[in-house]
Each structure stands twice: as structure tokens, then as C-alpha cells.
Amino acid sequence: MSNLIEIRWHGRGGQGAKTASLLLADATFNTGKYIQGFPEYGPERKGAPITAYNRISDTPITIHSNIYEPDYVVVVDDTLLESVDVTKGLKKEGAIIINTKKGIDELRPLLKGYEGKVCTIDARKVSIETIGSYFPNTPMLAAVVKVSKVMDEQVFLDDMVGSFKHKFAKKPEVIDGNIKAIEMALKEVNIYE
């Protein structure tokens, strides 16, 4: 499975990391890929650290375990950088994608020697400007697609329009904000090589 892409998400309960990983799985599945999207369950409570995973491949996936050597790591809450070893096993040729306002010089010391690509986005700013509240998962989902290139950005955006129309059928007022969050996030990702 040389075309296998593995992604590990780190967030806190209530931030939508699990939901974002499942949305990514659905979107990539709709492009004909084989997928896995699953959380690692622990003490489920709001604010507690959580982990979720994605595997995406052009061929059937026969692995059924957590992801120990991800190509990409997504950090939905930058406070986790000080309490969780988010870079553990992260491949140097991959990338870490962090929701933060911090610059690269502030981040590098928190990454336990990781020397690969670091990508940042201020998901708080994006979600507040577009959705009106702090929902970091939508901008982080867009950032993952931008950085990992697991699918074409326009195909992803079109898929999300359909997904949000279905998911928010009884709350159509939130659809436009979420679409704008994706569009803005795709432009707001900072990449440090």
C-alpha cells in the first residue's frame, strides 16, 4: 500500500476533531478512495484530549489498528503541544498542521525535535469571521485537504456543500458560514518548510 496516507488528529472533546475526521473520510470516499475514519475512545468528556484517525488509499485497506507513524498530524488545540507528544511517529516527509496564532519560532521548541513541514492556521479567526462562533473543525478540515492534497480542493468544496446541506437541513442558516469557513481556510494556511 505505497499510496496509503495516514492522518492522526489531536483535539479536545467538543472541538469536532472526530467529526472532521469522519467528514474527511466521507469526502475522500466520494472520490473513489478506500477510507477509514475512526476515533480512539478514552474518557469522553468535554475538554479532554481525544485522538481520531484517517487512512486513505487507492487500494483496499487491510490494516485495522491505530496509526503510529502518520504522514500528517492535525492539532486542533495548540495547548495540546505542551501535554501530548503530538509528533510521536510523525514522518519527516509529512507535515504537522496546527490551529494556532503562534509563529514558527514559538512552535519549533514544542515539537520535540520534529524537523519536517509545519503548517499553521488560525482556525479561531476563520470560524468566528465566517460562522460567527468558534468551531475549529471546519477550518482544520480544509487545512488538511490543502496540505495533504488527498483530493482536489474544488472537488472537496463541492462535496462539503452537499454534505452540509444534508447535515444542516434543519438549520440552513449555518451552511453558508461553513462553506465560507472552508473557502477562507484554504487560503489562510501558512506552510513552513
Side-chain angles (χ1 to χ4, degrees):
M1 273 192 268
S2 61
N3 63 349
L4 178 69
I5 295 172
E6 295 183 310
I7 302 168
R8 186 174 66 217
W9 297 73
H10 293 277
R12 293 191 182 278
Q15 292 179 325
K18 176 182 123 179
T19 300
S21 75
L22 297 178
L23 284 169
L24 180 62
D26 286 346
T28 53
F29 175 79
N30 291 337
T31 67
K33 303 270 189 191
Y34 292 87
I35 56 93
Q36 289 179 352
F38 56 99
E40 179 179 342
Y41 287 104
E44 296 301 307
R45 65 184 192 280
K46 190 170 183 170
I50 66 104
T51 310
Y53 304 94
N54 287 111
R55 282 194 180 93
I56 302 164
S57 178
D58 292 328
T59 57
I61 301 169
T62 57
I63 305 165
H64 299 285
S65 67
N66 289 348
I67 294 171
Y68 302 103
E69 295 181 350
D71 299 287
Y72 301 95
V73 165
V74 185
V75 181
V76 182
D77 186 321
D78 68 354
T79 64
L80 292 169
L81 296 173
E82 297 176 24
S83 60
V84 176
D85 186 1
V86 297
T87 58
K88 185 175 184 178
L90 177 58
K91 295 175 183 168
K92 185 178 177 183
E93 56 278 0
I96 185 168
I97 306 158
I98 307 167
N99 170 18
T100 189
K101 286 195 245 184
K102 294 177 180 163
I104 189 65
D105 294 335
E106 291 176 86
L107 293 171
R108 280 280 181 209
L110 301 172
L111 301 180
K112 302 199 185 283
Y114 178 69
E115 297 175 357
K117 190 186 307 180
V118 177
C119 307
T120 64
I121 183 168
D122 186 348
R124 177 180 296 277
K125 179 186 112 178
V126 172
S127 66
I128 288 175
E129 284 183 23
T130 57
I131 301 170
S133 293
Y134 182 44
F135 294 104
N137 60 337
T138 300
M140 294 308 291
L141 176 58
V144 170
V145 170
K146 175 81 173 185
V147 173
S148 69
K149 299 179 179 15
V150 292
M151 63 188 299
D152 177 81
E153 290 176 22
Q154 188 60 50
V155 171
F156 166 67
L157 184 59
D158 293 344
D159 188 86
M160 287 296 97
V161 169
S163 179
F164 290 150
K165 283 182 179 175
H166 175 75
K167 182 177 180 178
F168 299 122
K170 294 186 177 173
K171 295 194 273 182
E173 67 277 5
V174 301
I175 296 170
D176 285 344
N178 276 279
I179 297 304
K180 287 177 182 164
I182 288 173
E183 292 171 336
M184 184 175 177
L186 288 169
K187 296 174 188 166
E188 297 269 326
V189 178
N190 303 299
I191 300 174
Y192 304 96
E193 301 282 341

